[in-house]
Amino acid sequence: MKILVAVKRAIDYNVKARPKSDGSAVDLANVKMSMNPFDEIAVEEAIRIQEAGGATETIAVSVGPKQCQETLRTAMAMGVDRGILVETDVETQPLAVAKLLAAVIKQEQPGLVILGKQAIDDDSNQTGQMLAALLGWPQGTFAAKVTIDGERLKVAREIDGGIQTVDLRMPAVVTADLRLNEPRYVKLPNIMKAKKKPLDTLTPEGLGIDITPRLTVVKVAEPPARKGGVKVPDVEALIDKLRNEAKVI
């Protein structure tokens, strides 16, 4: 069985994102980029499944500019067998990414697709669900634990009320949540080995997919500064402030 993992190049989670002066987008000039943390968890899960004998090959796929090759090389340094870059300089939105991934999946025919539940740059949390709908595959979102049993897949998923376990038939789509695993540290020898692993480049045009953006960003702005807290002498004063100042009751 093949496992396909989608990875995104995003602003490093240690970097504070700042909007451009005109508020049109996030300023990416001279900003450190890295693999989206949730996708890193997805990569780790795919590798663990392969190491346990549940898969014969793992493939990482990324959509974006040429620099995404670095993200794919990171996935291969972690242990993924090969990479595929769908290269485009056009801004790709969740539906376009899902369509591109669906086209690659039809070529590769994996038995399992794993994605991060969301990217930390746009927080859309849509691509995995859209991909499953386009493929007509079952999905297990917000996965906290994944267990393969033959051609069945059990996914323990995090919901508001606790943990819900779903039983899926494969092929299936899984989106990784924060507590699924802890990604491994990439060692230098593996980084060198990753440079020799195969990395294919495709284009949206070659896949026959229209990636024209369908959403328009009206404005990007930083959230308002948080006001300092105050101490109240008693419950009556707290209720008064909640009712007359915060206006939440």
Side-chain angles (χ1 to χ4, degrees):
M1 179 183 75
K2 293 181 184 178
I3 300 179
L4 187 143
V5 188
V7 296
K8 183 177 184 180
R9 180 175 180 263
I11 295 179
D12 189 88
Y13 68 92
N14 288 311
V15 174
K16 177 177 172 56
R18 299 184 183 280
K20 292 182 177 179
S21 57
D22 60 0
S24 61
V26 174
D27 189 358
L28 299 180
N30 301 315
V31 172
K32 181 182 177 183
M33 308 290 281
S34 60
M35 186 188 300
N36 175 48
F38 288 104
D39 295 340
E40 195 173 6
I41 293 169
V43 170
E44 175 65 28
E45 190 65 19
I47 295 168
R48 291 188 185 188
I49 293 172
Q50 185 180 28
E51 290 174 343
T56 55
E57 184 181 27
T58 49
I59 308 162
V61 181
S62 189
V63 176
K66 189 175 182 179
Q67 291 89 330
C68 290
Q69 290 184 7
E70 300 172 8
T71 308
L72 290 168
R73 293 294 180 192
T74 300
M76 289 188 277
M78 291 176 68
V80 169
D81 297 315
R82 59 187 174 96
I84 299 174
L85 171 62
V86 182
E87 187 174 346
T88 177
D89 292 322
V90 177
E91 177 197 357
T92 50
Q93 296 173 350
L95 180 58
V97 175
K99 288 181 176 180
L100 291 169
L101 290 175
V104 173
I105 288 165
K106 288 177 182 177
Q107 291 183 359
E108 295 292 339
Q109 295 294 308
L112 177 63
V113 178
I114 310 179
L115 310 83
K117 71 169 184 176
Q118 65 195 75
I120 62 171
D121 50 6
D122 58 16
D123 271 337
S124 291
N125 183 16
Q126 295 175 349
T127 305
Q129 293 89 328
M130 288 179 171
L131 176 61
L134 290 170
L135 295 171
W137 289 7
Q139 58 181 299
T141 55
F142 316 126
K145 184 178 180 181
V146 175
T147 306
I148 295 179
D149 183 11
E151 295 186 359
R152 307 294 297 187
L153 183 72
K154 286 189 177 180
V155 178
R157 50 190 305 270
E158 297 194 17
I159 59 174
D160 291 342
I163 300 293
Q164 177 192 56
T165 301
V166 292
D167 183 19
L168 312 174
R169 58 171 175 77
M170 294 194 288
V173 175
V174 171
T175 67
D177 211 330
L178 186 65
R179 280 161 286 278
L180 179 58
N181 60 53
E182 184 175 343
R184 67 194 63 193
Y185 178 77
V186 179
K187 299 179 181 179
L188 181 59
N190 293 336
I191 294 175
M192 303 306 293
K193 290 177 183 178
K195 295 180 179 180
K196 298 180 180 179
K197 291 185 178 181
L199 196 162
D200 299 325
T201 301
L202 306 174
T203 63
E205 296 77 18
L207 294 170
I209 303 298
D210 177 15
I211 61 170
T212 303
R214 288 169 166 78
L215 305 175
T216 301
V217 176
V218 177
K219 184 179 180 182
V220 177
E222 290 195 52
R226 188 172 181 178
K227 296 181 180 179
V230 295
K231 290 184 178 181
V232 293
D234 50 42
V235 174
E236 287 74 15
L238 173 62
I239 294 174
D240 178 69
K241 286 185 176 293
L242 290 174
R243 178 178 292 123
N244 300 313
E245 293 184 20
K247 298 186 183 302
V248 295
I249 60 174

